[in-house]
């Protein structure tokens, strides 16, 4: 029998068992209602310190980690990388070890290079939580996506999930492919041939299909997950123009009509409206984009709580 999540670090979904994933989601469930209270605070992490160390821009992840820490009564602080001694030439590892010397309980890190959280975890006494490392993983995004799906579909197992767009550069896609297949979903990916990596073949036996086109991926899907075109990670032309991308791969109402009647739409944000997703789809009742953001707070409360020694809930 698998054990629930009792790790110090959350570095990715790839190494987690289904029981660990479910334990985090069940724990997030118990924290969810705190955000609906008039006084949105519980003492679970009183006396603990959480540092947000973000080397890439972020609206949702950094804010929700800070809110999550504060709702659990931890002291939360954001390091401004441009105003830190990194700008004077200090190395990333020296910066991390100096922060660690101040005895934080958890360091949440986002970096443009894959593997940075894993490096920090080797030298840090504090728990390290990966808030996105290059194109590798974004584990809390996949967890909040799973929580959104569970809330609306009651389960993940057996669902047909289409992940569409810039798969190659997407840490969200990688974490979601691992998480959704571990929980028993059938996952299909689709996008321009140049943006769908060939190294996914080893995941096929776990329930992943590479669809020949977007329509095939979306047909009969319970969940359509649209990914942002990551222009900041694209060093060459992967498709002719954004207009052509939008015509051939963008989620329109016509394409969404191919999904199940009660199929839902997810997007991790930030959205490029009119490119990977039409505005009327993004604003429709089938779009759960703001629910994803809402559940992000509960998931990050659970991750901070568990990484700093809390016991998982098992429903
Ligand atoms: N989904 C996500 O990671 O959004 P941010 O870049 O705003 O944190």
């Amino acid at each position: 029998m698998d054990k629930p999540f009792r790790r110090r670090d959350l570095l990715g979904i790839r190494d987690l068992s289904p029981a660990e994933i479910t334990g985090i989601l069940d724990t997030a469930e118990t924290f969810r209602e705190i955000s609906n209270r008039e006084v949105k605070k519980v003492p679970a992490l009183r006396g603990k310190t959480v540092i947000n160390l973000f080397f890439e821009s972020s609206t949702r992840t950094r804010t929700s980690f800070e809110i999550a820490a504060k709702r659990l009564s931890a002291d939360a602080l954001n390091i401004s990388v441009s105003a830190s001694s990194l700008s004077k030439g200090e190395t990333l590892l020296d910066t991390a070890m100096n922060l660690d010397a101040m005895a934080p309980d958890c360091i949440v890190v986002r970096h443009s290079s894959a593997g940075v959280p894993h490096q920090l975890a080797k030298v840090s006494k504090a728990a390290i939580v990966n808030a996105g490392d290059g194109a590798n993983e974004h584990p809390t995004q996949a967890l909040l996506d799973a929580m959104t799906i569970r809330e609306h579909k009651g389960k993940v197992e057996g669902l047909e999930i289409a992940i569409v767009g810039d798969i190659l550069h997407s840490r969200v896609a990688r974490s979601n492919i691992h998480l959704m297949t571990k929980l028993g979903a059938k996952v299909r990916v689709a996008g321009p041939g140049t943006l769908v990596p060939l190294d996914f073949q080893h995941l096929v036996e776990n329930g992943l299909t590479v669809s020949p086109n977007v329509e095939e991926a979306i047909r009969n899907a319970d969940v359509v997950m649209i990914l942002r075109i990551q222009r900041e990670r694209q060093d060459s032309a992967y498709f002719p123009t954004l207009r052509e991308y939008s015509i051939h791969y963008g989620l329109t109402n016509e394409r969404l009509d191919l999904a199940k009647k009660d199929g839902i739409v997810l997007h991790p944000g930030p959205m490029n409206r009119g490119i990977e997703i039409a505005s009327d789809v993004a604003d429709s009742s089938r779009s759960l984009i703001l629910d994803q953001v809402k559940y992000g707070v509960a998931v990050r409360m659970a991750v901070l709580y568990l990484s700093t020694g809390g016991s998982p809930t098992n429903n």
Side-chain angles (χ1 to χ4, degrees):
M1 171 92 171
D2 279 341
K3 294 199 171 65
F5 185 87
R6 284 193 183 275
R7 299 177 191 236
R8 185 194 66 159
D9 308 309
L10 176 64
L11 302 177
I13 300 293
R14 189 187 312 250
D15 298 327
L16 299 187
S17 68
E20 288 180 300
I21 294 167
T22 305
I24 298 171
L25 295 174
D26 291 346
T27 305
E29 287 292 339
T30 67
F31 285 128
R32 200 183 128 183
E33 58 84 26
I34 294 167
S35 295
N36 300 330
R37 295 182 190 175
E38 196 165 324
V39 178
K40 301 176 181 62
K41 219 180 219 338
V42 294
L45 292 190
R46 193 162 54 199
K48 307 268 187 194
T49 305
V50 176
I51 294 179
N52 274 331
L53 182 60
F54 277 54
F55 294 85
E56 283 189 318
S57 55
S58 169
T59 297
R60 283 146 286 268
T61 312
R62 192 173 66 172
T63 310
S64 60
F65 266 114
E66 186 176 352
I67 288 175
K70 287 179 171 166
R71 289 196 179 156
L72 294 175
S73 301
D75 295 314
L77 54 140
N78 297 311
I79 304 283
S80 165
V81 169
S82 60
S84 74
S85 289
L86 281 151
S87 63
K88 300 178 195 162
E90 186 169 59
T91 67
L92 172 63
L93 282 185
D94 280 331
T95 298
M97 286 191 288
N98 277 270
L99 293 175
D100 200 47
M102 296 180 226
D105 297 281
C106 182
I107 300 175
V108 180
V109 63
R110 170 174 285 192
H111 200 280
S112 58
S113 294
V116 162
H118 307 69
Q119 293 296 323
L120 299 196
K122 286 184 191 152
V123 298
S124 168
K125 287 189 274 305
I128 299 293
V129 174
N130 182 358
D133 63 324
N136 181 37
E137 283 230 36
H138 191 349
T140 56
Q141 178 69 44
L143 287 161
L144 71 88
D145 291 339
M147 184 167 180
T148 307
I149 293 170
R150 283 202 337 178
E151 293 299 323
H152 287 268
K153 297 284 176 196
K155 60 173 186 176
V156 171
E157 189 176 6
L159 295 183
E160 298 189 32
I161 299 179
I163 304 180
V164 174
D166 181 357
I167 313 286
L168 182 66
H169 299 101
S170 178
R171 53 198 180 204
V172 174
R174 279 179 187 72
S175 286
N176 264 301
I177 288 166
H178 288 300
L179 189 152
M180 301 303 166
T181 55
K182 280 172 192 275
L183 293 195
K186 295 179 200 119
V187 178
R188 304 189 281 267
V189 296
T194 50
L195 291 175
V196 178
L198 298 172
D199 68 350
F200 278 171
Q201 289 311 320
H202 68 286
L203 291 170
V204 168
E205 65 196 42
N206 297 341
L208 180 77
T209 310
V210 179
S211 288
N213 56 52
V214 170
E215 288 76 15
E216 279 312 301
I218 294 175
R219 198 179 305 285
N220 213 34
D222 298 283
V223 179
V224 182
M225 189 180 293
I226 296 296
L227 301 174
R228 181 172 69 86
I229 283 293
Q230 304 210 15
R231 280 177 278 180
E232 75 276 22
R233 293 190 215 285
Q234 295 181 5
D235 51 11
S236 57
Y238 289 89
F239 47 86
T241 63
L242 288 175
R243 188 173 141 68
E244 281 207 42
Y245 184 90
S246 158
I247 290 168
H248 294 294
Y249 303 102
L251 184 63
T252 56
N253 271 317
E254 292 70 38
R255 289 202 171 105
L256 185 55
D257 280 345
L258 296 169
K260 290 207 177 88
K261 278 201 167 24
D262 60 352
I264 57 175
V265 176
L266 304 185
H267 188 306
M271 272 186 285
N272 294 304
R273 284 176 181 263
I275 300 177
E276 71 263 5
I277 186 166
S279 258
D280 52 358
V281 175
D283 297 331
S284 73
S285 59
R286 298 173 75 173
S287 160
L288 301 180
I289 294 168
L290 294 180
D291 279 23
Q292 291 172 265
V293 178
K294 178 172 74 178
Y295 296 133
V297 174
V299 157
R300 287 164 181 139
M301 288 168 87
V303 167
L304 293 177
Y305 174 73
L306 296 173
S307 294
T308 54
S311 293
T313 305
N314 274 304
N315 289 336

mmCIF file of all heavy atoms in Angstrom, residues 111-127:
data_model
loop_
_atom_site.group_PDB
_atom_site.id
_atom_site.type_symbol
_atom_site.label_atom_id
_atom_site.label_comp_id
_atom_site.label_asym_id
_atom_site.label_seq_id
_atom_site.Cartn_x
_atom_site.Cartn_y
_atom_site.Cartn_z
ATOM 1 N N HIS A 111 12.602 29.207 -11.348
ATOM 2 C CA HIS A 111 13.810 29.564 -12.105
ATOM 3 C C HIS A 111 13.642 29.131 -13.559
ATOM 4 O O HIS A 111 12.919 28.172 -13.843
ATOM 5 C CB HIS A 111 15.041 28.877 -11.491
ATOM 6 C CG HIS A 111 16.331 29.521 -11.860
ATOM 7 N ND1 HIS A 111 16.952 29.303 -13.073
ATOM 8 C CD2 HIS A 111 17.117 30.394 -11.189
ATOM 9 C CE1 HIS A 111 18.068 30.005 -13.130
ATOM 10 N NE2 HIS A 111 18.199 30.680 -11.998
ATOM 11 N N SER A 112 14.324 29.823 -14.454
ATOM 12 C CA SER A 112 14.203 29.509 -15.883
ATOM 13 C C SER A 112 14.973 28.237 -16.262
ATOM 14 O O SER A 112 14.776 27.706 -17.351
ATOM 15 C CB SER A 112 14.713 30.683 -16.731
ATOM 16 O OG SER A 112 16.056 30.956 -16.378
ATOM 17 N N SER A 113 15.846 27.755 -15.366
ATOM 18 C CA SER A 113 16.625 26.550 -15.681
ATOM 19 C C SER A 113 16.034 25.319 -14.990
ATOM 20 O O SER A 113 15.784 25.344 -13.775
ATOM 21 C CB SER A 113 18.073 26.697 -15.212
ATOM 22 O OG SER A 113 18.704 27.703 -15.944
ATOM 23 N N ALA A 114 15.866 24.251 -15.767
ATOM 24 C CA ALA A 114 15.389 22.986 -15.202
ATOM 25 C C ALA A 114 16.399 22.475 -14.185
ATOM 26 O O ALA A 114 17.606 22.560 -14.412
ATOM 27 C CB ALA A 114 15.203 21.967 -16.320
ATOM 28 N N GLY A 115 15.927 21.980 -13.051
ATOM 29 C CA GLY A 115 16.811 21.348 -12.070
ATOM 30 C C GLY A 115 17.280 22.253 -10.949
ATOM 31 O O GLY A 115 17.889 21.764 -9.988
ATOM 32 N N VAL A 116 17.002 23.556 -11.022
ATOM 33 C CA VAL A 116 17.460 24.456 -9.949
ATOM 34 C C VAL A 116 16.869 24.058 -8.588
ATOM 35 O O VAL A 116 17.613 23.982 -7.587
ATOM 36 C CB VAL A 116 17.161 25.933 -10.302
ATOM 37 C CG1 VAL A 116 17.210 26.827 -9.073
ATOM 38 C CG2 VAL A 116 18.169 26.423 -11.348
ATOM 39 N N PRO A 117 15.576 23.764 -8.456
ATOM 40 C CA PRO A 117 15.064 23.356 -7.131
ATOM 41 C C PRO A 117 15.760 22.114 -6.603
ATOM 42 O O PRO A 117 16.005 21.992 -5.396
ATOM 43 C CB PRO A 117 13.571 23.095 -7.386
ATOM 44 C CG PRO A 117 13.251 23.853 -8.626
ATOM 45 C CD PRO A 117 14.500 23.825 -9.466
ATOM 46 N N HIS A 118 16.124 21.183 -7.502
ATOM 47 C CA HIS A 118 16.797 19.951 -7.087
ATOM 48 C C HIS A 118 18.188 20.271 -6.541
ATOM 49 O O HIS A 118 18.644 19.675 -5.561
ATOM 50 C CB HIS A 118 16.893 18.978 -8.266
ATOM 51 C CG HIS A 118 15.557 18.728 -8.928
ATOM 52 N ND1 HIS A 118 14.910 19.706 -9.654
ATOM 53 C CD2 HIS A 118 14.751 17.642 -8.953
ATOM 54 C CE1 HIS A 118 13.766 19.217 -10.108
ATOM 55 N NE2 HIS A 118 13.643 17.973 -9.689
ATOM 56 N N GLN A 119 18.867 21.244 -7.185
ATOM 57 C CA GLN A 119 20.195 21.665 -6.695
ATOM 58 C C GLN A 119 20.071 22.300 -5.310
ATOM 59 O O GLN A 119 20.862 22.026 -4.410
ATOM 60 C CB GLN A 119 20.809 22.689 -7.663
ATOM 61 C CG GLN A 119 21.164 22.130 -9.030
ATOM 62 C CD GLN A 119 22.256 21.076 -8.943
ATOM 63 O OE1 GLN A 119 23.170 21.201 -8.148
ATOM 64 N NE2 GLN A 119 22.126 20.022 -9.728
ATOM 65 N N LEU A 120 19.085 23.167 -5.148
ATOM 66 C CA LEU A 120 18.918 23.844 -3.856
ATOM 67 C C LEU A 120 18.565 22.837 -2.758
ATOM 68 O O LEU A 120 19.015 22.968 -1.615
ATOM 69 C CB LEU A 120 17.832 24.932 -3.930
ATOM 70 C CG LEU A 120 18.051 26.086 -4.915
ATOM 71 C CD1 LEU A 120 17.113 27.247 -4.604
ATOM 72 C CD2 LEU A 120 19.489 26.587 -4.918
ATOM 73 N N ALA A 121 17.792 21.833 -3.109
ATOM 74 C CA ALA A 121 17.377 20.840 -2.106
ATOM 75 C C ALA A 121 18.587 20.100 -1.533
ATOM 76 O O ALA A 121 18.565 19.638 -0.389
ATOM 77 C CB ALA A 121 16.389 19.852 -2.728
ATOM 78 N N LYS A 122 19.670 20.002 -2.336
ATOM 79 C CA LYS A 122 20.863 19.277 -1.869
ATOM 80 C C LYS A 122 21.633 20.063 -0.804
ATOM 81 O O LYS A 122 22.367 19.491 -0.013
ATOM 82 C CB LYS A 122 21.798 19.002 -3.053
ATOM 83 C CG LYS A 122 21.281 17.911 -3.962
ATOM 84 C CD LYS A 122 22.291 17.630 -5.061
ATOM 85 C CE LYS A 122 21.653 16.739 -6.116
ATOM 86 N NZ LYS A 122 22.226 16.933 -7.426
ATOM 87 N N VAL A 123 21.500 21.417 -0.821
ATOM 88 C CA VAL A 123 22.317 22.221 0.106
ATOM 89 C C VAL A 123 21.488 22.880 1.207
ATOM 90 O O VAL A 123 22.038 23.504 2.114
ATOM 91 C CB VAL A 123 23.100 23.328 -0.654
ATOM 92 C CG1 VAL A 123 24.049 22.717 -1.654
ATOM 93 C CG2 VAL A 123 22.166 24.321 -1.326
ATOM 94 N N SER A 124 20.173 22.752 1.126
ATOM 95 C CA SER A 124 19.306 23.514 2.023
ATOM 96 C C SER A 124 18.730 22.644 3.148
ATOM 97 O O SER A 124 18.367 21.486 2.923
ATOM 98 C CB SER A 124 18.159 24.104 1.191
ATOM 99 O OG SER A 124 17.179 24.607 2.031
ATOM 100 N N LYS A 125 18.670 23.232 4.342
ATOM 101 C CA LYS A 125 17.969 22.532 5.436
ATOM 102 C C LYS A 125 16.461 22.807 5.347
ATOM 103 O O LYS A 125 15.657 22.033 5.826
ATOM 104 C CB LYS A 125 18.514 23.000 6.792
ATOM 105 C CG LYS A 125 19.906 22.450 7.092
ATOM 106 C CD LYS A 125 20.340 22.722 8.510
ATOM 107 C CE LYS A 125 20.995 24.067 8.701
ATOM 108 N NZ LYS A 125 22.147 24.389 7.857
ATOM 109 N N ALA A 126 16.116 23.950 4.740
ATOM 110 C CA ALA A 126 14.697 24.274 4.564
ATOM 111 C C ALA A 126 14.089 23.377 3.488
ATOM 112 O O ALA A 126 14.798 22.900 2.590
ATOM 113 C CB ALA A 126 14.558 25.741 4.134
ATOM 114 N N ALA A 127 12.781 23.168 3.587
ATOM 115 C CA ALA A 127 12.074 22.451 2.516
ATOM 116 C C ALA A 127 12.134 23.293 1.251
ATOM 117 O O ALA A 127 12.024 24.518 1.309
ATOM 118 C CB ALA A 127 10.623 22.229 2.928
#
